[in-house]
Amino acid sequence: MLVTDIKRKLKNGKEITGFYMDRWLKDNIDGIPSFIKKDWDCVGIVSGHGKVRIGKSTMGMQVSYYLAWRLAGGEITSDEKGKILKVILPKKKVHFNLHENVVFSAESLQETAARLYDKYGKNQVILYDEGRQGLDSARAMESINKGMEDFFQECGFMGHIIIICLPNFFKLHEDYAVARSLFLIDVFADKEYNRGFFNFYNDRRKESLYYFGKKRIGVTAKYSATKENFWGRFYGWMPFNKEEYETKKKEEIEKKRILRRERNLMLQRDIHIYLLNKHAKYTYQEIMQKMKEVADFTIAEKTLRNSVVRVSDIISKTKGYV
């Protein structure tokens, strides 16, 4: 059925109102605005059956926009066959756009959530579309789970709706895959490699899928561990320009690479300072003098002390030895 009152043009140039959403999917997420108004936060997960470029971002954007439309006061009622009986238009502006509501890393979640809270108040929608394709790196998943932990500790009271898009549901930490999330939508292609299909798992079946699927080997076996509540179709409409979206995604991924490289270089510097101070027994004044002699570079004593403290903290947390 067609949902929302957004205007869009078909390929033949005809203008229509709304975009297609499976009726069962619509009915299962319609209650979320009421749920978060009771001082809960909401996490929904959209996975890609372990694959990339399969449509999870498109599904995530459609669900996010529809929920933002509902939060603005929009409502659609229909009969059992999906025939629309009544449409109530939003009373407020729909707050969901590419530049304010879409992030590509867990590290950006906290900043975006706080900014939306300050500007619009509680109960906003954020689409977190994880840009690291594949997520085979244990370090990447550790970063995602740490970012989620920080977000809920600092921003849980804001009551936002977070839609997480990532290739593999089973690589998400149990706390967010099971305890924090309300539903899972897994998108997949048919046997002819046609995109646009999804399975929906509610809170209870999602939990069963996670626990039983984790014990199996292979993506197909994992996603077959529990039967879905229902399956459906979706199509390629996006609430904003696809090229602009892809450009922003590439820019954000590149920013993360640069920041990661800078952090690594900073850590290397801190370790060298730590070794000079703790093992070579150089004083801070001597380290400052050596830097001046070798590279004509001046660094403050406070910075040297902070470097030693940071490395000491890392050692104490990992119980390692440097």
Side-chain angles (χ1 to χ4, degrees):
M1 60 184 293
L2 292 177
V3 296
T4 80
D5 61 329
I6 193 166
K7 305 294 182 184
R8 65 189 183 94
K9 283 188 176 181
L10 301 177
K11 291 181 179 180
N12 61 10
K14 180 182 177 182
E15 184 176 84
I16 65 171
T17 300
F19 67 92
Y20 175 81
M21 178 175 282
D22 181 273
R23 182 173 66 88
W24 287 103
L25 175 58
K26 169 197 168 297
D27 290 348
N28 274 269
I29 63 177
D30 263 340
I32 290 176
S34 298
F35 174 78
I36 62 171
K37 289 183 188 298
K38 297 177 181 177
D39 284 334
W40 296 95
D41 50 46
C42 169
V43 175
I45 303 171
V46 180
S47 69
H49 215 72
K51 296 180 172 60
V52 298
R53 306 198 66 82
I54 199 167
K56 62 185 181 300
S57 297
T58 300
M59 171 60 85
M61 280 184 264
Q62 291 181 6
V63 169
S64 298
Y65 185 85
Y66 178 71
L67 289 172
W69 185 81
R70 292 279 286 112
L71 285 167
E75 186 178 350
I76 295 176
T77 57
S78 63
D79 62 18
E80 293 182 355
K81 295 182 179 180
K83 181 181 178 181
I84 295 176
L85 301 176
K86 185 179 181 181
V87 177
I88 300 174
L89 299 181
K91 304 176 182 67
K92 300 180 293 184
K93 182 179 178 181
V94 178
H95 294 308
F96 186 78
N97 63 73
L98 176 59
H99 302 290
E100 288 189 310
N101 301 81
V102 181
V103 299
F104 296 96
S105 70
E107 296 85 352
S108 302
L109 260 180
Q110 192 169 325
E111 178 186 349
T112 299
R115 186 170 60 247
L116 288 172
Y117 179 79
D118 291 340
K119 188 172 182 179
Y120 302 117
K122 298 178 68 172
N123 305 151
Q124 305 302 316
V125 181
I126 302 174
L127 174 64
Y128 162 28
D129 190 355
E130 177 51 57
R132 282 164 281 198
Q133 298 298 309
L135 297 177
D136 289 328
S137 168
R139 185 176 298 176
M141 286 310 306
E142 181 181 345
S143 173
I144 290 170
N145 289 315
K146 180 63 168 64
M148 295 296 295
E149 178 185 353
D150 292 343
F151 167 78
F152 283 114
Q153 286 180 350
E154 298 296 328
C155 304
F157 73 95
M158 297 176 184
H160 293 331
I161 298 173
I162 313 299
I163 304 299
I164 305 173
C165 293
L166 78 169
N168 197 330
F169 166 66
F170 296 99
K171 292 190 176 182
L172 197 60
H173 192 279
E174 177 184 338
D175 287 349
Y176 316 113
V178 176
R180 280 282 190 171
S181 62
L182 281 181
F183 63 87
L184 165 68
I185 301 172
D186 181 56
V187 304
F188 61 94
D190 66 10
K191 293 180 180 179
E192 304 299 323
Y193 300 102
N194 297 307
R195 298 178 180 88
F197 298 87
F198 72 90
N199 286 327
F200 183 92
Y201 301 84
N202 65 11
D203 193 15
R204 182 170 296 179
R205 295 207 183 180
K206 167 181 55 66
E207 180 176 352
S208 296
L209 180 71
Y210 188 84
Y211 287 130
F212 290 113
K214 290 281 279 189
K215 299 176 182 179
R216 297 188 177 187
I217 298 175
V219 174
T220 300
K222 289 180 183 295
Y223 278 101
S224 302
T226 300
K227 185 173 176 57
E228 72 280 357
N229 292 92
F230 61 90
W231 69 273
R233 292 295 312 268
F234 69 101
Y235 298 93
W237 177 79
M238 298 172 68
F240 23 72
N241 182 273
K242 184 177 181 180
E243 287 71 26
E244 188 178 358
Y245 169 81
E246 292 292 345
T247 297
K248 183 182 180 185
K249 188 172 185 177
K250 289 176 183 177
E251 289 174 350
E252 292 296 325
I253 292 172
E254 184 58 30
K255 282 182 185 177
K256 283 189 288 185
R257 286 174 181 160
I258 293 172
L259 288 172
R260 185 165 60 247
R261 188 159 56 242
E262 289 177 348
R263 285 196 297 267
N264 288 339
L265 289 172
M266 191 72 72
L267 179 59
Q268 290 173 24
R269 184 205 69 177
D270 290 347
I271 290 173
H272 285 126
I273 292 171
Y274 176 90
L275 291 172
L276 285 170
N277 178 250
K278 296 296 184 181
H279 291 263
K281 303 302 181 183
Y282 276 69
T283 66
Y284 293 123
Q285 289 295 327
E286 288 172 332
I287 295 173
M288 292 166 63
Q289 182 60 35
K290 288 295 181 182
M291 286 184 169
K292 182 70 174 176
E293 292 174 2
V294 173
D296 194 25
F297 179 76
T298 303
I299 187 169
E301 182 176 336
K302 182 179 179 181
T303 302
L304 297 175
R305 290 182 183 276
N306 288 338
S307 295
V308 172
V309 170
R310 278 193 291 269
V311 177
S312 298
D313 287 344
I314 293 172
I315 294 171
S316 65
K317 288 177 182 177
T318 60
K319 297 182 180 179
Y321 176 82
V322 177

